Amino acid sequence: MTTALDANGQLKLVIFDCDGVLVDSERASCRATAEFARSLGLDLSDEDAHDRFAGKALPQVVEELEGELGRSLPENTALEMRDNLVRLMKKMAEPVEGAPEMLHGIRALGMPFRVGSNSSVTEMDAKFERTGMTHFFPENRVHSANDMNEPKPSPEVYLYAAKTEGVLPENCVVIEDSDTGAEAARRAGMSCVLLRSENLPDPSFWPAPGFVRISHLSQLVPVLQQALERQKQA
């Protein structure tokens, strides 16, 4: 199947992950998770929490913690963790370096974009408000895998974003930073641009058709621009 970034593809929609792509919040979120785990008596460092939980929805995190504890946590644990993260993000969230400039560049290309994240919409609202990016993402263009009860690597949040835009999955490119999110894009049949430092390893299924890797958001607009130019020439 031809995907959006292939030589003969048609790019019609960009779908962003939130954490680690637009908003620098993963480490703060994982630190809060580690502190919560330690309060339960688990031996979990901040770094281990980042390695294990980055990109995962809170219900997934709670399920893993319950597995380690060997017991169930209160039913509202994920909601309490979400409320704590919202308070934290209102104080600590920052834009990923180059994110506002990149978003302006994609707007200049005339390319529509949406967000599909494992974070709840409530969390994303707090993050976008704190980072001054709310005007880029009106509520009807922000989609939560957590709120859909379909956390990544399920592709459902990306498929829903495409359906809402009225485009086919193969006409979408997902911007991701985690293996979990990149796998969701692969399952959705979409292209993916993986934002990742050069010293970090590829996902286990890499390379894959229609997948590109960049190390800084300043590289994204040229990638998309080249794809659009190829389409005009085809």
Side-chain angles (χ1 to χ4, degrees):
M1 180 181 69
T2 300
T3 59
L5 295 186
D6 292 334
N8 297 316
Q10 290 290 314
L11 173 59
K12 297 182 180 180
L13 177 67
V14 178
I15 311 175
F16 290 100
D17 178 42
C18 177
D19 303 293
V21 173
L22 299 170
V23 180
D24 186 2
S25 58
E26 289 278 24
R27 291 199 176 275
S29 297
C30 292
R31 184 170 71 245
T33 299
E35 290 173 356
F36 175 69
R38 291 193 289 267
S39 76
L40 299 173
L42 295 175
D43 182 17
L44 185 68
S45 69
D46 293 358
E47 192 62 36
D48 287 342
H50 182 267
D51 292 342
R52 284 183 52 185
F53 300 129
K56 292 184 178 179
L58 287 176
Q60 292 172 298
V61 174
V62 172
E63 185 176 339
E64 288 195 29
L65 293 177
E66 288 176 332
E68 284 203 34
L69 289 167
R71 61 180 173 85
S72 297
L73 292 168
E75 190 173 336
N76 64 342
T77 297
L79 289 176
E80 289 187 358
M81 292 177 71
R82 185 202 69 186
D83 291 344
N84 182 50
L85 285 175
V86 168
R87 289 191 292 271
L88 186 68
M89 290 305 114
K90 286 181 177 179
K91 297 177 181 179
M92 297 184 62
E94 298 294 337
V96 169
E97 183 180 353
E101 296 84 355
M102 174 272 297
L103 290 169
H104 281 296
I106 293 181
R107 266 189 178 172
L109 292 177
M111 178 60 53
F113 49 84
R114 292 177 177 268
V115 174
S117 172
N118 266 348
S119 292
S120 67
V121 170
T122 302
E123 291 173 73
M124 286 189 278
D125 285 347
K127 293 166 185 175
F128 292 147
E129 182 177 353
R130 162 72 182 175
T131 57
M133 288 193 278
T134 301
H135 64 102
F136 286 114
F137 301 108
E139 185 177 350
N140 64 348
R141 304 192 75 79
V142 176
H143 312 291
S144 167
N146 179 77
D147 295 354
M148 294 171 62
N149 293 316
E150 289 282 357
K152 304 171 193 175
S154 166
E156 290 305 313
V157 70
Y158 289 145
L159 293 173
Y160 180 78
K163 182 178 179 180
T164 305
E165 186 70 27
V167 301
L168 296 173
E170 57 263 35
N171 298 135
C172 302
V173 61
V174 170
I175 317 304
E176 267 288 356
D177 69 311
S178 71
D179 288 12
T180 302
E183 173 64 17
R186 189 174 73 92
R187 293 183 186 182
M190 298 179 179
S191 287
C192 180
V193 175
L194 184 71
L195 175 64
R196 183 166 293 183
S197 299
E198 293 177 356
N199 60 320
L200 295 177
D202 290 329
S204 59
F205 59 82
W206 205 270
F211 278 51
V212 175
R213 180 168 169 167
I214 61 174
S215 58
H216 192 276
L217 283 178
S218 61
Q219 298 169 276
L220 179 58
V221 172
V223 168
L224 301 181
Q225 191 167 19
Q226 288 172 10
L228 293 172
E229 288 175 353
R230 286 196 301 269
Q231 290 174 200
K232 291 179 182 178
Q233 295 169 2

